[in-house]
Amino acid sequence: MNEQITTKELWEAVLAEMEVSISEATFVTWFKGTSAKEVQGEKLVIMVPNVFARDWLENKFRKKIIASIQKHLPQINSISCEIGEMPSEPKEIIKETFPKENRKRQKQSGQQSDYVVNKNLSTLPNNLNERYSFDNFVVGSHNELAFAACKAVANEPGKNYNPIFVYGGVGLGKTHLLQATSNAILANNPSSKARYISMERFANELLDALENKKAKEFKNRYIQMDILAFDDVQFLAGKEKTQEEFFHIFESLYQAGKQLLLSSDRPAKSIPTLEDRLRSRFEGGMIADVNKPDLETRMAIINTKLKERNFSLDLEIVNYLAENIYHNIRELEGALNKIIVNYQLRNTQPVLTEIIDMTQDMLSMNRQKDLTPKRIINSVAEFYDVKPEEISSRSRNKKVVKPRQVSIYLLRNEIDLSFPEIGKIVGGRDHSTAIYAFEKISEEITTNDILRNQLKFIRDKFIDY
Ligand code: ADP
Ligand code: MG
């Protein structure tokens, strides 16, 4: 049993719990960019990016946050927020000051959260959130196939489509589908053991288990499951050890006829450094993509969400939002949240001119306009799983060569920078280096489908970033 927990781990556990208990849009709006700074006696100090987040965390979410913290550190009974960013990774270790007995009781009463303190639990929480269902999922031509495939999986888990691999851009309903499918299977087979987990969290838990020499137990707990949903498996890129362990878990479950659900923000073949055996497993079941919804579907989605929230907007406002926020559904939901929160406080009915003002920064068009070199480099770095600083440094490390060439190509193509400027951005290189890289990629994409796909994908990311 781990006797210590860092503020960072504590906050990660709280975030993990929040993430599945509130809507993703709410989560992203209020919890993104937050971190725990320190424990002061019975209080946890949280760093937040702005005054809005502070107000929301301290008021609306206070109880929930404290309840979640107490599962790991029962002595905490209040929180306060400071505006700012954590300068670096918090190193502070909080000694667990509560007696073991007490902790045991906590363990029994706390339902969902095994993540930091209760590492020895034999069953894992399913991490499912009922708010994701098939019923509140709007189907259009952009997601028809994925929806139908998930329904088929839910009807006959482990039979036809195993694994199911859903892929597509940010905010287009992948998590929703994975969760809804797992929920539906569980509703039909209440005794099944299900678990939903993001690949990022899985990798962290695995690392933890390896460090504590608990890898075997870790694996055993996973292979007991009947339904396993791994979200955002692109996170496996560049993580050899995780890939290896994951492969064995995957194999055991698959052989035993257990249903596996996977999502990724890109097709399996575009996940860099994914082992061949994993790629072929991912592609061996059903593959379905989700795309951007068309105008009509966006309107249907807005109307569904309004109904759920018991809120109404004039048709012209619904039209306006659907026409102008078109990149993904999460953003559409984010805009609705903002509007609803604002008007519930004000108690007046929204008018179009106010909505136009209120949503300026959320419009898809405007987001495209602020494309900066930094954004391009960040997107490329994220895709290839390298650090942005490595791309813009003098490093000659082999693994940044391709990302750097791709960055050069995009800097030229997307924002028309001059070659000397580009050279400067990517580590003070000569303009001839930039020209060479640009030409190399330009030529390569005419013959290399995978690279062409990767570029398309990264371009989509600028907007969704
Ligand atoms: P992804 O995992 O692909 O990034 P999510 O599944 O988190 O996207 O979806 C983002 C938000 O949009 C969620 O709140 C989800 O419930 C909602 N959403 C996505 N697709 C639909 C849909 N077809 N109908 C209703 N809501 C949707
Ligand atoms: Mg998701």
Side-chain angles (χ1 to χ4, degrees):
M1 167 80 63
N2 199 353
E3 294 285 317
Q4 298 177 328
I5 164 176
T6 64
T7 43
K8 182 164 175 267
E9 285 173 325
L10 173 66
W11 193 241
E12 274 170 8
V14 172
L15 291 182
E17 197 180 333
M18 289 294 161
E19 197 175 359
V20 293
S21 71
I22 57 183
S23 85
E24 188 128 23
T26 314
F27 179 79
V28 171
T29 312
W30 305 117
F31 286 89
K32 206 173 149 209
T34 64
S35 55
K37 185 182 174 202
E38 61 192 2
V39 171
Q40 294 174 353
E42 299 179 345
K43 183 169 80 179
L44 179 71
V45 182
I46 301 162
M47 303 296 287
V48 296
N50 54 48
V51 44
F52 304 107
R54 184 190 65 200
D55 290 349
W56 275 72
L57 262 59
E58 286 186 350
N59 299 308
K60 269 212 99 90
F61 291 114
R62 185 171 47 87
K63 274 200 192 139
K64 234 180 151 116
I65 293 172
I66 292 173
S68 174
I69 296 172
Q70 284 179 342
K71 290 181 188 163
H72 311 286
L73 278 186
Q75 73 263 34
I76 300 292
N77 56 28
S78 68
I79 55 169
S80 75
C81 294
E82 281 179 17
I83 297 167
E85 257 178 54
M86 283 299 280
S88 62
E89 297 257 298
K91 293 269 174 342
E92 177 206 11
I93 301 282
I94 314 160
K95 297 270 181 300
E96 285 188 3
T97 50
F98 52 103
K100 277 213 162 97
E101 282 317 296
N102 188 352
R103 193 165 62 213
K104 240 184 220 151
R105 239 180 300 129
Q106 278 291 324
K107 199 158 86 178
Q108 278 150 7
S109 61
Q111 319 89 349
Q112 281 266 308
S113 205
D114 70 318
Y115 175 31
V116 172
V117 178
N118 306 345
K119 280 184 179 140
N120 285 347
L121 276 191
S122 59
T123 50
L124 297 164
N126 65 28
N127 292 337
L128 293 176
N129 185 335
E130 281 169 12
R131 101 176 178 80
Y132 295 111
S133 74
F134 285 141
D135 292 340
N136 64 3
F137 191 78
V138 179
V139 184
S141 55
H142 71 295
N143 59 13
E144 235 166 10
L145 174 68
F147 179 77
C150 285
K151 278 277 223 190
V153 165
N155 289 336
E156 282 197 312
K159 292 268 161 55
N160 302 328
Y161 300 141
N162 206 14
I164 178 161
F165 185 93
V166 179
Y167 75 91
V170 181
L172 296 179
K174 301 182 298 295
T175 297
H176 192 130
L177 276 174
L178 255 54
Q179 285 255 348
T181 312
S182 310
N183 276 326
I185 301 176
L186 213 52
N188 292 335
N189 314 274
S191 59
S192 291
K193 287 195 215 125
R195 179 159 172 85
Y196 159 92
I197 189 160
S198 71
M199 190 50 84
E200 180 167 9
R201 238 180 104 189
F202 174 83
N204 287 334
E205 287 187 358
L206 172 66
L207 209 71
D208 241 32
L210 289 169
E211 268 170 19
N212 296 317
K213 311 237 175 319
K214 298 251 173 73
K216 204 160 168 212
E217 281 166 68
F218 176 82
K219 188 176 159 195
N220 285 341
R221 281 187 294 172
Y222 270 90
I223 61 180
Q224 287 171 21
M225 295 290 154
D226 303 307
I227 305 138
L228 252 178
F230 289 99
D231 208 352
D232 292 315
V233 298
Q234 76 277 358
F235 193 78
L236 284 168
K239 310 212 168 39
E240 258 171 58
K241 185 74 193 154
T242 310
Q243 289 190 23
E244 182 175 344
E245 298 292 332
F246 174 74
F247 177 77
H248 294 301
I249 291 176
F250 184 99
E251 262 319 82
S252 304
L253 289 161
Y254 179 78
Q255 298 298 346
K258 307 300 181 59
Q259 181 66 48
L260 289 138
L261 305 119
L262 309 167
S263 87
S264 165
D265 66 358
R266 64 197 83 166
K269 68 168 177 301
S270 302
I271 302 177
T273 77
L274 186 70
E275 285 180 28
D276 281 347
R277 56 178 184 178
L278 272 174
R279 189 172 49 74
S280 68
R281 295 298 183 288
F282 288 179
E283 292 172 345
M286 173 75 185
I287 305 171
D289 61 344
V290 287
N291 293 293
K292 297 183 180 182
D294 57 20
L295 177 65
E296 205 179 307
T297 315
R298 294 198 295 276
M299 290 183 61
I301 290 172
I302 296 176
N303 286 325
T304 309
K305 305 272 166 197
L306 287 173
K307 225 186 249 159
E308 268 174 32
R309 303 284 296 265
N310 225 342
F311 197 83
S312 68
L313 286 173
D314 288 343
L315 183 63
E316 59 168 4
I317 296 180
V318 174
N319 272 334
Y320 174 79
L321 294 172
E323 265 164 21
N324 290 289
I325 303 181
Y326 44 78
H327 286 309
N328 75 54
I329 298 163
R330 183 172 310 155
E331 284 178 357
L332 210 49
E333 222 175 28
L336 284 177
N337 276 344
K338 189 171 175 185
I339 294 169
I340 294 174
V341 164
N342 256 287
Y343 283 93
Q344 269 170 350
L345 293 177
R346 285 194 224 167
N347 227 346
T348 56
Q349 198 51 31
V351 287
L352 183 60
T353 49
E354 294 166 351
I355 298 293
I356 292 176
D357 263 0
M358 191 180 286
T359 53
Q360 266 313 305
D361 58 329
M362 309 179 103
L363 303 188
S364 304
M365 272 254 301
N366 291 348
R367 308 255 331 248
Q368 231 156 340
K369 269 195 228 131
D370 9 278
L371 193 52
T372 59
K374 190 165 170 225
R375 239 169 80 202
I376 291 184
I377 290 178
N378 283 348
S379 306
V380 176
E382 195 190 350
F383 182 83
Y384 288 103
D385 198 37
V386 297
K387 295 204 182 74
E389 307 83 66
E390 289 178 289
I391 294 180
S392 44
S393 76
R394 298 216 52 89
S395 158
R396 290 177 182 275
N397 191 335
K398 228 177 102 209
K399 75 172 192 192
V400 296
V401 171
K402 187 69 157 211
R404 190 179 288 132
Q405 289 178 342
V406 167
S407 303
I408 291 171
Y409 174 82
L410 290 170
L411 287 168
R412 176 73 185 180
N413 250 1
E414 300 295 316
I415 44 180
D416 239 349
L417 289 187
S418 72
F419 286 118
E421 279 172 307
I422 296 175
K424 231 187 267 159
I425 293 172
V426 295
R429 292 180 151 72
D430 194 74
H431 75 280
S432 59
T433 312
I435 294 175
Y436 170 79
F438 177 77
E439 286 175 350
K440 182 156 188 303
I441 298 290
S442 306
E443 199 186 301
E444 210 178 322
I445 51 174
T446 59
T447 53
N448 183 339
D449 283 353
I450 295 185
L451 182 66
R452 202 167 45 240
N453 268 333
Q454 290 184 345
L455 282 172
K456 176 178 172 303
F457 177 84
I458 296 168
R459 260 195 215 102
D460 278 351
K461 266 226 134 121
F462 298 150
I463 305 152
D464 291 327
Y465 196 63

